[in-house]
Amino acid sequence: MAISPSFLPAAAAITLAVDCMGGDHGPRITLPACRAFLERHPEASLRLVGLPEALKDFSHPRAVIVPATEVVAMDDPIEIALRKKKDSSMRVAIQQVKDGSAQAAVSAGNTGALMAIARYLLKTLEGIDRPAIAPQLPNSKGGATTVLDLGANVDCDAEDLLQFAVLGSALVSALTGNESPTVGLLNVGEEAIKGSETIKKASQLLRVAAKSKDLNFYGNVEGNDIFKGTTDIVVCDGFVGNVTLKATEGVAAMIVDFLRFEYSNGLFSKFAAIVSYPVLKALKKRLDHRRYNGAALLGLRGLVFKSHGSADEVAFGYALDRAYDAARNNLLDRVRARIAHAAPLLARAESAAPVDATSLPV
Amino acid sequence: MAISPSFLPAAAAITLAVDCMGGDHGPRITLPACRAFLERHPEASLRLVGLPEALKDFSHPRAVIVPATEVVAMDDPIEIALRKKKDSSMRVAIQQVKDGSAQAAVSAGNTGALMAIARYLLKTLEGIDRPAIAPQLPNSKGGATTVLDLGANVDCDAEDLLQFAVLGSALVSALTGNESPTVGLLNVGEEAIKGSETIKKASQLLRVAAKSKDLNFYGNVEGNDIFKGTTDIVVCDGFVGNVTLKATEGVAAMIVDFLRFEYSNGLFSKFAAIVSYPVLKALKKRLDHRRYNGAALLGLRGLVFKSHGSADEVAFGYALDRAYDAARNNLLDRVRARIAHAAPLLARAESAAPVDATSLPV
């Protein structure tokens, strides 16, 4: 994996706030993942947020239990999560970041609610209209491609795409140490002439940004370039990003199902499966979405990471590690510095367009 | 494969017009594919269009050579193909359909040029604003999911998506005999409340169409549903379709590359590869895009099928077969009947919005 967050020699003392109630499984997986995290990182601390009854058996010298009286359900509408459950574990965890008690928050809860609450409590950074969700996807180079936006913003204009490029560059530089990661604009062809009006305009903005050294803009890329690893970052609107991510998960699942079926189909195939075990195990590891769990919510005045709702202990641990790496490598400062440098380009009314919160994925 | 085009007992005498010069390889692959096609279908005839010099060695009792003096290059701009090369093999092949000399045309040439010329010569059907490209993708059910649009229309409105649903339903009923194929609207979530404004409006239009029995609308689907085979047809705009298709090709290629690498990595793995040969061969066949070659250009007053530019003889043969099946199962009449039935819904100015031809994939 290309992500090698240990490039900064000195690790600062970092505290993460964890929404222990979020996700499909809640404390049953978040608590063991937190314990393992504390063992992996002897200098880190956690603030574990949740119903006291659910967390009462957990104790660790570097963990503090922070009580919350409510839980945002995976299918709660945004309005309920935001307006009615004002003492939810999700909200209290983000409040820890706002108060400065934690450097980042992690939740496996409802994405739409998480984005809405994070945006409400933390606010967007100056120059950023819409926060974005930026996960990493595995690529053929053995590394990861950061794709954003993945689900938060279904209607984006060219300026939003430019902002996503700035935010994604800061994230990748914080996670990998590469100060000039390449940015590709997802399009239907590599030629600058192709694409929708929005994409053509975004391409122009990105070329201007590249000239002023705000970005390392590679040019247009196509869907397959995400997995070739042509660029470190791929920028697209949240609709395209969400559909593409789910479609590629669908293809991978189809292939794995097919291999499983074929290898269990007759005695000879079963024998082949046994001798192929190391290869199939390596494939499974390569395609294991758990390793890529933990997407940054970028563009806010604080760090929030979203774990997949169905994450198991291993996957949730990856999300915790990613938040930890981002925090100790000063992601927020990097985002601010990049935005400041790109300020003339990003000059546009802040928060002009409200996020259509009902369109967020869960 | 779910496509079983022999459901209509009586096969009419069908003639296809073939652009023999199109694609990356031209006559070297189109001519052998045509010969094999004529052998597979003893009642079919072909009109082989191209430079006489390139086709002079081909002769068959059911094939006629139709001369053309020009060839559209894979990288010719649309304007050149449309305005300058008026005697191109691509154009002459489509002219055969217009004249009634052939029931369908097949070309592996430049997609943008093919769409522009087909649209110019054949015109769109009444009630259809934008023709769409509709390929089939393999799904986990062992069948194929028809996805449209894939590349022709990068900016679509809700009415376009409704039209695509009508066109796709006609195609699937012609190719499979299923008179009520299910239609899914590609979205970021299954709930009707999700998606962009265009998608929400399209969802409403599709629900109205379902009530009047014009369509079998399933509801919103997500990216992974394409490969699950949740619905027979998935409707999306050309930008999303193109990016999704290429991204999924990218994932599949990454997995195959990975297996190849792992199986060639060390003696034991090589042994595993040998005993796994039948399984890997079956996987290769399952993922073989050649079997899905041949995308319909729908919404025109004549049948045109697009083969992948890099198609080999086998792949081009599949495109010929698909065009043949569509023609003998009266795809054009089916499209007309469905449009007539849905006319009150489709009531909108014909050809209001011109296709942005420069955005077409090659």
Side-chain angles (χ1 to χ4, degrees):
Chain A
M1 203 167 160
I3 292 175
S4 49
S6 54
F7 64 91
L8 278 189
I14 295 293
T15 301
L16 300 182
V18 183
D19 168 14
C20 293
M21 311 305 293
D24 299 340
H25 311 297
R28 188 162 59 79
I29 78 101
T30 57
L31 291 182
C34 285
R35 186 172 297 283
F37 171 84
L38 288 165
E39 282 160 19
R40 276 197 303 281
H41 305 290
E43 71 296 353
S45 304
L46 294 178
R47 296 180 74 79
L48 306 177
V49 187
L51 304 178
E53 176 64 22
L55 309 185
K56 69 175 172 8
D57 293 337
F58 191 95
S59 84
H60 189 283
R62 283 179 281 117
V64 175
I65 307 290
V66 181
T69 58
E70 291 169 301
V71 175
V72 173
M74 292 305 272
D75 56 356
D76 268 346
I78 310 272
E79 308 79 59
I80 299 292
L82 189 60
R83 318 249 175 249
K84 302 285 179 193
K85 295 186 172 176
K86 295 198 176 174
D87 196 40
S88 71
S89 57
M90 184 186 278
R91 183 158 177 163
V92 173
I94 296 170
Q95 186 68 43
Q96 306 297 303
V97 175
K98 189 177 182 188
D99 295 345
S101 312
Q103 283 75 54
V106 180
S107 175
N110 181 327
T111 310
L114 185 67
M115 179 60 99
I117 294 172
R119 191 175 175 162
Y120 177 77
L121 287 184
L122 300 174
K123 312 299 178 202
T124 51
L125 288 160
E126 204 170 333
I128 299 299
D129 296 329
R130 297 154 175 265
I133 300 180
Q136 274 92 41
L137 303 183
N139 65 37
S140 290
K141 291 182 176 168
T145 306
T146 297
V147 184
L148 71 166
D149 175 49
L150 260 109
N153 307 289
V154 294
D155 287 303
C156 290
D157 59 22
E159 288 80 7
D160 292 324
L161 295 172
L162 171 63
Q163 292 173 18
F164 295 165
V166 171
L167 295 172
S169 297
L171 176 66
V172 172
S173 70
L175 290 178
T176 70
N178 174 359
E179 294 298 338
S180 189
T182 49
V183 174
L185 177 64
L186 195 57
N187 200 351
V188 295
E190 287 172 20
E191 304 84 343
I193 198 179
K194 289 198 172 183
S196 64
E197 290 312 312
T198 300
I199 292 292
K200 286 179 198 166
K201 194 175 166 201
S203 181
Q204 287 170 354
L205 291 176
L206 288 163
R207 280 197 295 274
V208 171
K211 275 188 190 150
S212 55
K213 311 278 183 206
D214 283 305
L215 289 171
N216 186 357
F217 182 48
Y218 169 91
N220 290 338
V221 294
E222 300 188 79
N224 50 343
D225 288 304
I226 297 171
F227 300 97
K228 278 188 192 164
T230 305
T231 56
D232 298 308
I233 297 151
V234 171
V235 170
C236 59
D237 72 47
F239 189 94
V240 171
N242 181 295
V243 165
T244 301
L245 176 68
K246 286 182 179 156
T248 55
E249 285 176 355
V251 169
M254 181 176 78
I255 292 173
V256 170
D257 281 354
F258 178 80
L259 286 174
R260 191 176 295 134
F261 174 80
E262 286 290 329
Y263 274 122
S264 62
N265 197 6
L267 247 182
F268 182 77
S269 291
K270 277 178 193 151
F271 171 66
I274 291 164
V275 297
S276 293
Y277 180 73
V279 170
L280 296 179
K281 197 177 159 191
L283 175 67
K284 202 176 160 199
K285 189 177 171 196
R286 178 69 167 270
L287 294 178
D288 188 352
H289 59 82
R290 298 184 300 180
R291 291 173 63 215
Y292 304 94
N293 190 38
L297 270 58
L298 292 171
L300 299 164
R301 297 168 195 248
L303 298 184
V304 180
F305 278 74
K306 157 72 182 152
S307 159
H308 203 288
S310 67
D312 63 9
E313 183 185 328
V314 172
F316 197 74
Y318 274 103
L320 292 173
D321 281 357
R322 196 148 282 143
Y324 177 67
D325 292 335
R328 72 196 183 95
N329 290 324
N330 302 313
L331 172 57
L332 202 56
D333 290 345
R334 288 167 185 267
V335 169
R336 283 206 172 97
R338 281 190 178 260
I339 291 173
H341 194 264
L345 285 171
L346 297 174
R348 211 173 60 128
E350 193 192 354
S351 300
V355 165
D356 175 10
T358 58
S359 302
L360 292 164
V362 174
Chain B
M1 205 166 157
I3 292 176
S4 48
S6 54
F7 65 91
L8 279 191
I14 295 294
T15 301
L16 300 181
V18 182
D19 167 13
C20 293
M21 311 304 294
D24 299 341
H25 311 298
R28 188 162 59 78
I29 78 101
T30 57
L31 290 182
C34 285
R35 187 172 297 283
F37 171 84
L38 288 165
E39 282 160 19
R40 276 198 302 281
H41 304 288
E43 71 296 353
S45 304
L46 293 178
R47 297 180 73 81
L48 306 177
V49 187
L51 304 178
E53 177 64 22
L55 309 184
K56 69 176 172 10
D57 294 336
F58 191 95
S59 85
H60 189 283
R62 284 178 281 119
V64 175
I65 307 289
V66 180
T69 57
E70 291 169 301
V71 175
V72 173
M74 291 306 272
D75 57 355
D76 270 345
I78 310 273
E79 308 78 58
I80 300 291
L82 189 60
R83 317 248 175 250
K84 302 284 178 198
K85 295 186 172 176
K86 295 200 174 170
D87 195 40
S88 71
S89 57
M90 185 185 278
R91 183 159 176 162
V92 173
I94 296 170
Q95 187 67 44
Q96 306 297 303
V97 175
K98 188 178 183 188
D99 295 345
S101 310
Q103 282 74 55
V106 180
S107 175
N110 182 326
T111 310
L114 185 68
M115 180 59 98
I117 295 172
R119 192 175 174 161
Y120 177 76
L121 287 184
L122 299 174
K123 312 298 180 201
T124 51
L125 288 161
E126 204 170 331
I128 299 299
D129 297 328
R130 299 155 174 264
I133 300 180
Q136 273 92 40
L137 303 182
N139 65 37
S140 289
K141 291 183 175 168
T145 307
T146 297
V147 184
L148 72 167
D149 175 51
L150 260 110
N153 307 289
V154 294
D155 287 303
C156 290
D157 60 22
E159 287 81 6
D160 292 324
L161 295 171
L162 170 64
Q163 292 173 17
F164 296 164
V166 171
L167 294 172
S169 297
L171 176 67
V172 172
S173 70
L175 290 177
T176 70
N178 174 1
E179 294 298 337
S180 189
T182 49
V183 174
L185 177 64
L186 195 57
N187 201 351
V188 294
E190 288 171 19
E191 304 84 345
I193 197 178
K194 289 198 172 181
S196 64
E197 288 312 311
T198 300
I199 292 292
K200 287 179 197 166
K201 194 174 167 201
S203 181
Q204 286 170 353
L205 291 177
L206 287 163
R207 280 198 295 274
V208 171
K211 275 189 191 151
S212 54
K213 310 278 183 202
D214 283 305
L215 289 170
N216 186 356
F217 182 48
Y218 169 89
N220 290 338
V221 294
E222 300 189 77
N224 51 344
D225 289 304
I226 297 171
F227 300 96
K228 278 188 193 166
T230 306
T231 56
D232 298 308
I233 297 152
V234 171
V235 169
C236 59
D237 72 48
F239 189 94
V240 170
N242 182 295
V243 165
T244 301
L245 177 68
K246 285 182 180 156
T248 55
E249 285 175 356
V251 168
M254 180 176 79
I255 292 173
V256 170
D257 281 355
F258 178 80
L259 286 173
R260 192 177 292 134
F261 175 81
E262 286 290 329
Y263 273 121
S264 61
N265 196 7
L267 245 182
F268 181 77
S269 291
K270 276 179 191 150
F271 171 66
I274 290 164
V275 297
S276 293
Y277 180 73
V279 169
L280 297 178
K281 198 177 158 192
L283 175 66
K284 202 177 159 198
K285 189 178 171 196
R286 177 69 167 269
L287 295 177
D288 188 353
H289 59 80
R290 299 184 300 179
R291 292 172 64 213
Y292 303 94
N293 190 37
L297 271 59
L298 292 172
L300 300 164
R301 296 169 195 249
L303 298 184
V304 179
F305 278 75
K306 158 73 182 150
S307 159
H308 203 287
S310 66
D312 64 7
E313 183 185 328
V314 171
F316 197 74
Y318 274 103
L320 292 172
D321 281 357
R322 197 148 281 144
Y324 177 68
D325 291 336
R328 71 196 183 93
N329 291 324
N330 303 312
L331 172 57
L332 202 57
D333 290 344
R334 287 167 187 267
V335 169
R336 284 207 171 98
R338 280 189 179 263
I339 292 173
H341 195 264
L345 285 170
L346 297 173
R348 212 171 60 128
E350 192 190 353
S351 300
V355 165
D356 175 11
T358 59
S359 302
L360 291 165
V362 173

